[in-house]
């Protein structure tokens, strides 16, 4: 039982834990219009692929709730402009598009059935809430599926935050950690700090510490040394999109970790719900990589760390080739190479 939540519908508003303020402040934002919600996704108030999907689904419900439309067709037009805005927030996490498509199919069904505008509003809200609830259940199933990969005593290295904060609740990579703990395994976590936005230091450490799961934060450049010293047994990360061939897009730095794991003969696991697997994207080369702005790289906290006028690069994600991935854990079971076959089999 946690005393906090990532995203929720409450009395006509989408309520988000403001992840930019963690770990020092636990504050919630109440968003009552789609533009503010879209900006909250862009500004990383809420982040992590499944959580972005959940938020977008609630965003569609919010658009319908706020729309003054009296006819189904007018309501559908308002929902479509919200969909279009939300789809422009972040390009890499496929869960965003998956959730928007699911909400779109639900609306189409209601329109085809001749539902009234008030009925459509109620149905869209119900569907979005169901999607969020299902996400928690999916993470729990995924966690259970991954327990067999985590021997007692494991020291688990993770990157970014693929926890309850990145999902409707429980988490993917951290869902496997939680399920291992619930199964009685003694495990500990090494959380990569994850420059530049520090999801590992600020968020992974926060939620694991809240649950009493042993966690130590390392800076990203310590991973190779600690692996060499024999201080990590396996790596588990989340994913923003898994291509049909098993290539994985995840937070920048993941590819480097996968190379390090291979060099040190450690398993490299990816934990992702089926909604993150995108069979329509053939390989990692086809996954759009978000480029974010200068400030997150050029500043540490609010302090400038790059001389003015010197450009920075900021690809927010990278692609880990399938050949470096030991297994992909989903709520439907574990996929192994060749991923072209195993992922397609899982999804059908
Ligand atoms: O930029 P972010 O914080 O949205 O990136 C998040 C990640 O890369 C996560 O590892 C991924 O979305 C999986 S979350 C279960």
């Amino acid at each position: 039982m946690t005393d906090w939540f990532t995203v929720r519908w409450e009395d006509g508003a989408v309520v988000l834990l403001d992840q930019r303020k963690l770990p020092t402040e636990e504050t919630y934002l109440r968003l009552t219009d789609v533009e503010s919600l879209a900006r909250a996704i862009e500004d990383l108030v809420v982040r992590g692929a499944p959580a972005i999907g959940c938020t977008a689904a609630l965003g569609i419900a919010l658009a319908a709730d706020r729309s003054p439309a009296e006819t189904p067709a007018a309501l559908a037009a308002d929902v479509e402009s919200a969909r279009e805005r939300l789809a422009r927030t972040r390009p890499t996490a496929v869960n965003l598009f998956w959730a928007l498509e699911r909400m779109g199919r639900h609306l189409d069904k209601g329109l085809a059935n001749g539902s009234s505008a008030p009925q459509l509003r109620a149905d869209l809200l119900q569907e979005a809430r169901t999607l969020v609830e299902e996400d928690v259940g999916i993470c729990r199933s995924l966690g259970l599926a991954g327990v067999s990969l985590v021997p007692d005593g494991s020291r688990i290295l993770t990157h970014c935050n693929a926890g309850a904060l990145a999902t409707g609740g429980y988490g993917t990579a951290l869902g496997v950690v939680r399920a291992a703990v619930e199964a009685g395994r003694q495990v500990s976590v090494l959380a990569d700090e994850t420059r530049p936005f520090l999801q590992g230091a600020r968020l992974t450490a926060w939620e694991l510490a809240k649950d009493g799961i042993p966690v130590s934060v390392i800076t990203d450049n310590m991973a190779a040394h600690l692996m060499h010293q024999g201080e990590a047994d396996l790596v588990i990360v989340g994913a923003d999109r898994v291509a049909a061939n098993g290539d994985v897009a995840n937070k920048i730095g993941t590819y480097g970790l996968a190379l390090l794991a291979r060099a040190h003969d450690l398993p490299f696991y990816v934990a992702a719900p089926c909604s993150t697997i995108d069979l329509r994207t053939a390989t990692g080369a086809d996954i759009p990589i978000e480029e974010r702005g200068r400030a997150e790289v050029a500043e540490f906290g609010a302090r400038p760390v790059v001389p003015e006028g010197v450009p920075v690069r900021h690809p927010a994600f990278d692609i880990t080739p399938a050949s470096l991935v030991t297994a992909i854990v989903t709520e439907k079971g574990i996929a192994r190479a060749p991923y072209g076959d195993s992922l397609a089999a899982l999804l059908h």
Side-chain angles (χ1 to χ4, degrees):
M1 203 42 204
T2 54
D3 58 351
W4 56 275
F5 60 87
T6 303
V7 51
R8 181 184 282 179
W9 178 269
E10 256 176 33
D11 306 326
V14 179
V15 183
L16 298 172
L17 176 57
D18 190 345
Q19 299 192 26
R20 300 168 304 179
K21 304 265 171 69
L22 292 173
T24 47
E25 265 180 62
E26 216 173 301
T27 49
Y28 291 84
L29 296 183
R30 256 183 79 80
L31 302 166
T32 52
D33 67 278
V34 171
E35 181 55 29
S36 308
L37 192 72
R39 290 206 182 144
I41 296 173
E42 289 166 347
D43 294 346
L44 309 180
V45 169
V46 62
R47 29 63 51 202
I52 294 170
C54 293
T55 307
L58 290 171
I60 293 294
L62 180 66
D65 191 61
R66 289 271 128 183
S67 164
E70 286 175 10
T71 66
L75 185 77
D78 285 347
V79 167
E80 172 53 21
S81 64
R83 188 205 62 75
E84 189 271 328
R85 174 66 184 96
L86 290 164
R88 277 191 284 113
T89 51
R90 298 193 74 193
T92 305
V94 75
N95 302 62
L96 169 66
F97 307 99
W98 172 87
L100 291 174
E101 280 176 27
R102 174 166 159 175
M103 295 301 290
R105 282 195 302 275
H106 199 73
L107 175 63
D108 290 345
K109 208 167 84 189
L111 289 169
N113 288 342
S115 301
S116 64
Q119 189 59 49
L120 289 172
R121 282 188 189 92
D123 285 353
L124 285 170
L125 178 55
Q126 185 52 49
E127 181 69 359
R129 292 177 109 160
T130 303
L131 186 149
V132 178
E133 270 165 39
E134 282 176 6
D135 191 59
V136 184
I138 286 168
C139 287
R140 285 189 176 274
S141 304
L142 183 159
L144 274 180
V147 170
S148 64
L149 303 175
V150 182
D152 194 29
S154 292
R155 294 154 306 169
I156 302 163
L157 182 48
T158 191
H159 190 65
C160 193
N161 171 267
L165 285 166
T167 59
Y170 203 72
T172 59
L174 299 189
V176 175
V177 171
R178 287 194 165 92
V181 170
E182 284 164 20
R185 313 246 159 111
Q186 302 285 329
V187 302
S188 59
V189 174
L190 286 169
D192 258 0
E193 162 191 58
T194 316
R195 266 291 277 161
F197 193 62
L198 306 178
Q199 288 95 330
R202 298 188 304 102
L203 309 179
T204 293
W206 182 81
E207 65 167 85
L208 290 180
K210 281 236 175 205
D211 277 4
I213 297 174
V215 57
S216 304
V217 174
I218 61 172
T219 59
D220 298 343
N221 52 2
M222 294 174 188
H225 172 70
L226 292 174
M227 284 183 183
H228 185 69
Q229 298 289 103
E231 292 193 36
D233 301 300
L234 55 101
V235 179
I236 310 181
V237 297
D240 286 82
R241 192 184 298 222
V242 179
N245 72 341
D247 290 349
V248 173
N250 192 48
K251 181 50 56 194
I252 191 76
T254 302
Y255 174 39
L257 260 195
L259 288 167
L260 291 176
R262 176 60 54 91
H264 294 90
D265 207 18
L266 298 177
F268 180 87
Y269 299 121
V270 172
C274 290
S275 52
T276 302
I277 298 167
D278 181 12
L279 296 184
R280 289 182 288 193
T281 297
T283 74
D286 305 308
I287 299 177
I289 301 291
E290 178 182 7
E291 291 268 346
R292 292 187 61 83
R294 173 186 174 82
E296 287 164 15
V297 172
E299 293 168 11
F300 196 86
R303 193 169 78 85
V305 289
V306 176
E308 223 175 291
V310 175
V312 303
R313 287 295 317 279
H314 191 185
F317 300 94
D318 59 25
I319 305 294
T320 298
S323 59
L324 294 176
V325 178
T326 311
I328 300 175
V329 186
T330 77
E331 73 275 23
K332 292 190 177 170
I334 298 177
R336 292 185 188 265
Y339 291 105
D341 297 336
S342 59
L343 293 177
L346 271 187
L347 261 62
H348 287 117

